[in-house]
Amino acid sequence: MLNKVKSEYVSWIVMLGIIVLLLEFFFFNRGLIFSLLVSIGMIYVGRKWMPKTSGKLLFWFGLIFLIINIFNMMTLKFFLLAILLHFFIQFVQSKRSPAHLKPIIKESSPSIEKETVIKKESLFSNQLFGQRKTPEHSYEWSDINIQAGIGDTIIDFSYTVLPKGETVIFIRNFVGNVHVLVPYDVEVSVNHSVVAGATEIFEYQETKIFNQSVHIQTPGFSQAEQRIKIFTSLLVGDLEVKRV
C-alpha cells in the first residue's frame, strides 16, 4: 500500500512538472525554446568543427549557454522544490510514527542451496568526459550497457569473437558520436534515437535529423543464429554503423 502511494505521488509530481514546463514554454518564457535550440545547435556545430579552435569555442560556449538556460528554468526549480518537500514530509512522518523493530523467531527450515552467479567485467564503464574505444588487440566480448556524458564511443568487432545468439549494445550519450564496426557475416538491428545529429547505417543515410527515432535492420536478422542488436540514445551527435 505504501509503495502504491509513493508511486502515485511520483506520478503526480511528473505530471505537474510537465504542465509547468508547457506553461513556461508557451506563456512565461516563450524565448526558452529558441535559447535551448541555439545552444544545442552551437554544441552540434562545434563538434563538427573540432579540433579547430573555432569549433572548440563554439562547443564550450554552447554547453555553458545550455547549462545556464536549464538552471534558469522554472521547471527545474519546481522539481527541486518538490524533492525538498518530499524529504521534509518523510522526515515529519518518521518523527510522528517511529519504526518499531520486533524480533521474529522462525522455525529452522531445510537449507536451500544458493544459486551460483558469475560476475563479468564490462568493456566500458560510465564516464562523464572522454572517448571510449574497444581495444586494438584481441579481447573477450561482453555486452555493453553504458551512460556517458561528453565524448565519442567506438566499438570495433574486428578483434573479438562474437558468441552464438544475440549480442546487445546499449549506449545513452549526452553529446558525442557513436561508431560501430560490425563483421560482414553478422545480421544487425539498430534502434537509434537522437535530438540533433546525423545517421549512417550501412546504405541508409540521414545528414540532418532532429528529434527522431530510426529503426533499421538487415533482412535476415529475425532468422539469424548470430546477430547484433544496437540501441543508442543521443542528445547531440552522429551514429555510424558500417561493415569491416
Side-chain angles (χ1 to χ4, degrees):
M1 182 66 181
L2 182 60
N3 290 334
K4 184 179 179 181
V5 172
K6 287 183 178 179
S7 178
E8 291 179 354
Y9 173 77
V10 172
S11 299
W12 275 104
I13 292 295
V14 172
M15 186 172 68
L16 289 174
I18 294 172
I19 293 172
V20 171
L21 181 63
L22 293 175
L23 289 174
E24 184 173 9
F25 278 157
F26 296 107
F27 294 99
F28 298 106
N29 192 356
R30 293 185 178 181
L32 180 61
I33 297 179
F34 177 76
S35 299
L36 292 175
L37 290 177
V38 168
S39 57
I40 291 173
M42 290 172 66
I43 293 171
Y44 177 70
V45 175
R47 286 286 304 173
K48 286 286 189 181
W49 289 357
M50 283 186 177
K52 295 180 181 178
T53 304
S54 57
K56 292 179 180 179
L57 290 174
L58 196 61
F59 173 82
W60 286 109
F61 275 120
L63 184 61
I64 293 170
F65 189 34
L66 178 64
I67 293 172
I68 291 173
N69 278 312
I70 292 174
F71 275 94
N72 285 332
M73 288 176 63
M74 183 171 61
T75 309
L76 179 64
K77 297 171 184 176
F78 167 79
F79 277 116
L80 291 176
L81 180 62
I83 292 170
L84 290 174
L85 184 61
H86 171 68
F87 283 117
F88 177 74
I89 292 172
Q90 281 193 330
F91 175 75
V92 172
Q93 288 178 345
S94 65
K95 291 297 182 183
R96 288 181 179 177
S97 306
H100 297 281
L101 300 177
K102 294 182 179 180
I104 299 175
I105 301 174
K106 294 183 178 181
E107 295 182 1
S108 59
S109 56
S111 59
I112 301 175
E113 187 176 343
K114 292 183 178 180
E115 186 174 0
T116 302
V117 295
I118 300 173
K119 182 180 178 182
K120 299 189 68 176
E121 293 295 327
S122 301
L123 286 173
F124 301 132
S125 59
N126 296 337
Q127 63 183 71
L128 190 58
F129 298 99
Q131 185 189 73
R132 293 152 299 280
K133 186 177 181 180
T134 51
E136 296 183 351
H137 54 77
S138 299
Y139 65 92
E140 183 181 357
W141 174 257
S142 177
D143 286 349
I144 295 173
N145 183 7
I146 58 169
Q147 301 182 71
I150 299 173
D152 295 344
T153 302
I154 302 172
I155 300 172
D156 189 349
F157 287 95
S158 303
Y159 299 98
T160 189
V161 177
L162 290 178
K164 292 292 183 182
E166 193 168 84
T167 296
V168 182
I169 298 172
F170 281 93
I171 300 175
R172 292 166 290 274
N173 202 4
F174 184 66
V175 177
N177 301 324
V178 177
H179 303 274
V180 184
L181 310 176
V182 300
Y184 278 95
D185 56 344
V186 178
E187 302 295 332
V188 181
S189 172
V190 181
N191 202 321
H192 177 56
S193 176
V194 64
V195 175
T199 301
E200 181 179 348
I201 305 171
F202 305 136
E203 300 301 322
Y204 173 85
Q205 292 186 4
E206 287 282 352
T207 55
K208 294 180 181 178
I209 293 182
F210 179 74
N211 196 26
Q212 291 185 25
S213 294
V214 178
H215 187 191
I216 302 291
Q217 71 178 38
T218 52
F221 178 81
S222 300
Q223 295 79 27
E225 293 183 1
Q226 195 174 44
R227 53 192 183 181
I228 300 173
K229 259 190 177 181
I230 302 171
F231 298 89
T232 53
S233 179
L234 309 178
L235 180 64
V236 178
D238 300 343
L239 170 67
E240 181 187 38
V241 181
K242 65 180 183 179
R243 301 285 190 181
V244 289

